[in-house]
């Protein structure tokens, strides 16, 4: 199945300074952890004491390739804002760098839960919280749903590849718009 290779929540989590560094981390993970015999190899150095992230989240140790199945990073997702909205139970903060893989997908067509859109539908944003696709606790996100999808993401693909998007496993946006729509904006 699909999943996160690096869980970035918590202390110290995996927090980086910018989207380009997150992309570089995905490339390093793919290069080092994607081959045979990679278990236990270091793919990202320990965080130095004194960095802003270390002061806030705790000093992160060196990142090592996991055991079991060889999964290499194909997709990265970065939170560039002080807080990033998501339909889940976690508070997402600046610097979170999620490294992910998708089984049986070409890198040129990663699954996209937003169906190629960079904004949430206006009708969804104006809907009562109880009608959102998933309940989001006020403790997690006390504000209204943002207009823009706040995350920055990318895929590792061959040079010159045209990147599109593939149908997600859970078509929540499509399902919500069919029930509450239209969502043509």
């Amino acid at each position: 199945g699909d999943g996160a290779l690096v869980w970035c929540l918590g202390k110290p989590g995996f927090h980086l300074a910018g989207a380009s560094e997150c992309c570089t981390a995905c490339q390093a993970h793919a290069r080092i952890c994607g081959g045979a015999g990679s278990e236990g190899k270091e793919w990202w150095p320990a965080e130095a004491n004194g960095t802003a992230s270390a002061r806030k989240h705790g000093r992160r140790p060196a990142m090592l390739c996991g055991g079991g199945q060889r999964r290499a990073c194909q997709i990265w997702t970065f939170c560039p804002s002080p807080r990033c909205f998501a339909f889940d139970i976690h508070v997402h903060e600046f610097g979170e760098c999620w490294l992910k893989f998708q089984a049986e997908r070409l890198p040129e067509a990663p699954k996209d839960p937003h169906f190629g859109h960079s904004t949430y539908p206006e009708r969804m944003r104006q809907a009562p919280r109880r009608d959102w696709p998933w309940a989001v606790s006020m403790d997690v996100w006390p504000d209204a749903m943002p207009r823009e999808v706040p995350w920055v993401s990318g895929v590792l693909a061959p040079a010159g590849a045209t990147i599109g998007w593939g149908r997600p496993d859970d078509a929540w946006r499509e399902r919500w718009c069919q029930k509450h729509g239209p969502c043509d904006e």
Side-chain angles (χ1 to χ4, degrees):
D2 303 339
L5 297 163
V6 174
W7 189 260
C8 63
L9 295 173
K11 298 186 184 295
F14 192 59
H15 296 81
L16 299 177
S20 63
E21 188 177 22
C22 188
C23 177
T24 299
C26 185
Q27 292 169 330
H29 186 279
R31 184 177 61 254
I32 297 169
C33 300
S38 62
E39 184 174 352
K41 287 186 179 177
E42 181 178 314
W43 63 268
W44 199 257
E47 187 168 35
N49 283 324
T51 65
S53 180
R55 285 191 302 275
K56 182 173 183 178
H57 303 287
R59 186 175 175 270
R60 178 185 24 76
M63 302 297 284
L64 306 177
C65 299
Q69 298 179 0
R70 287 186 317 234
R71 303 258 192 220
C73 182
Q74 304 162 313
I75 301 165
W76 57 269
T77 303
F78 179 77
C79 175
S81 304
R83 301 263 319 268
C84 285
F85 178 81
F87 287 114
D88 66 26
I89 62 170
H90 304 290
V91 174
H92 295 284
E93 299 178 318
F94 174 81
E96 288 183 15
C97 175
W98 292 86
L99 304 185
K100 303 176 181 185
F101 70 94
Q102 291 182 353
E104 302 176 23
R105 291 287 177 157
L106 297 174
E108 296 88 355
K111 297 174 191 174
D112 181 359
H114 299 284
F115 289 85
H117 297 274
S118 61
T119 60
Y120 294 101
E122 184 65 24
R123 189 173 292 258
M124 185 184 293
R125 292 180 53 241
Q126 300 305 322
R129 189 176 286 256
R130 69 179 179 276
D131 291 344
W132 288 3
W134 286 279
V136 178
S137 164
M138 292 292 284
D139 294 340
V140 171
W141 190 265
D143 303 319
M145 187 185 305
R147 181 180 186 286
E148 304 284 329
V149 175
W151 299 87
V152 175
S153 60
V155 297
L156 302 186
T162 300
I163 308 300
W165 58 272
R167 186 167 179 78
D169 292 336
D170 183 353
W172 62 265
R173 181 186 178 109
E174 184 177 76
R175 190 172 56 248
W176 193 94
C177 291
Q178 286 172 352
K179 182 176 180 180
H180 302 281
C183 297
D184 298 83
E185 65 281 346

